[in-house]
Structures are given as C-alpha cells and as structure tokens.
Amino acid sequence: APDLIRTLNHVLAEAGFPSVPLESFRPLISRGARALIVEGLALFEEKRSEEQLDELFERFLDNYVDNFAVESAPYPNLVTMLDAALNAGARLGVCTSKREGLSRALLRELGLYDRFKAILGRDTLDVYKRDPRHLTETILRAGGQVDRAGMIGDNAIDVNTAKAAGIPVIA
C-alpha cells in the first residue's frame, strides 16, 4: 500500500495536486491503479478524459515499476504462516489484481517468490478478480483442488471472489 499510494501522490503532484493520505486511500487499492487515479482526482473535484486518464495511468506504471518495493513489506506474521502452511503440505498460489510481472518482481524482492506454485495477475487470464475463474484457475495452476482450497485475502474483492467460487475465505 505505501508504494502504491506514494506512486499515486507522485502522479498527482506532477498534475499539480497535493498528496492524498495513505489511510484514506488504502481501501481503494484493490480496485486498481486507474481507480486510484480517478479517486485521487475526485478528491480535488477534478475529472479527466479517458485519454488523459490513460496518460496518467502510464505515468503511474512507469513510476511504480521503478519504485515498487521501497516501503512494501509482508503483513506481520505472514512469512511464518506461509511456511507453516507449506510444512503442512499446502500448495500456495497468488491471485492478485496487480499485473503478473509486477507481482512476480515484488514477491522476488520480498523473498517470497519461491513459496508459490502459481502467480496469476490481473493480466494473466481474460478474467480477473471478482470473476471466480481467476481464483479457481490460480488454485488449479498451483496443483490444488478447488473443493479443498481456501483463500486468504485482505479486502472485500477477495472475499466476494472467494464466495463466488464457493471457496472458504479468511479476510
């Protein structure tokens, strides 16, 4: 979250706007970078054309690619929990709204990459989270069984995706 909001603030500053607060925008992260930009502009009662939003989105991605792991860190106790799951025989996968390449790079940077059998991003399939097939395909690619899987998520989109797939979820 801190790196995404810092990148949003960089793009907003380039457009002549002040920074937005991390805690106010953290809940919006799961909606994607473009939605962050739209909401950031809306805070200042600004709107942009689709073409202008495309340009801001490209600037966002350019900056984020160079700064995706400045402040990012695993949630407290996450590494311990992942390792315990692996030691118990679980197969782990990542089903994320982030682009796959950025997800893989971030997981490598954080030292988590090798724990996951599958990493599917927003751009991996023709569908993405909210659509249950994004989650079920992640499970299958990780070598798991949909009827024996669970999801751990950190936002409402994760919960709704798991529910739509008929998969138990911990948020």
Side-chain angles (χ1 to χ4, degrees):
D3 289 327
L4 288 165
I5 302 304
R6 185 183 31 71
T7 300
L8 172 63
N9 283 328
H10 175 82
V11 169
L12 290 173
E14 283 183 341
F17 298 102
S19 295
V20 300
L22 170 67
E23 290 310 315
S24 297
F25 276 71
R26 181 186 297 268
L28 304 176
I29 287 173
S30 62
R31 293 176 43 206
R34 191 177 178 94
L36 281 175
I37 294 166
V38 169
E39 292 298 326
L41 292 170
L43 187 64
F44 305 107
E45 299 180 2
E46 287 288 325
K47 290 185 179 179
R48 295 290 192 265
S49 69
E50 289 301 312
E51 185 176 285
Q52 291 169 321
L53 287 173
D54 288 344
E55 182 181 321
L56 291 171
F57 179 69
E58 289 305 317
R59 285 155 124 187
F60 184 100
L61 288 179
D62 288 345
N63 183 272
Y64 185 69
V65 164
D66 293 334
N67 299 285
F68 64 84
V70 174
E71 297 179 63
S72 292
Y75 283 112
N77 302 312
L78 176 71
V79 174
T80 302
M81 191 262 326
L82 293 174
D83 289 343
L86 287 169
N87 288 336
R91 293 181 188 108
L92 304 178
V94 174
C95 177
T96 180
S97 297
K98 191 184 299 297
R99 290 183 176 191
E100 182 181 333
L102 286 171
S103 300
R104 289 178 181 277
L106 180 58
L107 290 167
R108 279 188 190 98
E109 188 70 25
L110 298 177
L112 300 173
Y113 184 83
D114 292 336
R115 289 175 172 86
F116 299 99
K117 298 281 187 198
I119 300 166
L120 277 69
R122 178 182 198 93
D123 57 341
T124 306
L125 306 172
D126 291 337
V127 297
Y128 49 89
K129 272 199 293 189
R130 285 209 179 113
D131 188 310
R133 293 174 292 175
H134 191 201
L135 176 56
T136 56
E137 186 63 23
T138 301
I139 293 163
L140 295 173
R141 289 189 187 191
Q145 296 172 281
V146 173
D147 63 341
R148 295 188 47 139
M151 180 175 189
I152 299 172
D154 65 357
N155 60 65
I157 290 175
D158 291 340
V159 171
N160 292 334
T161 302
K163 285 182 176 182
I167 294 170
V169 61
I170 298 170

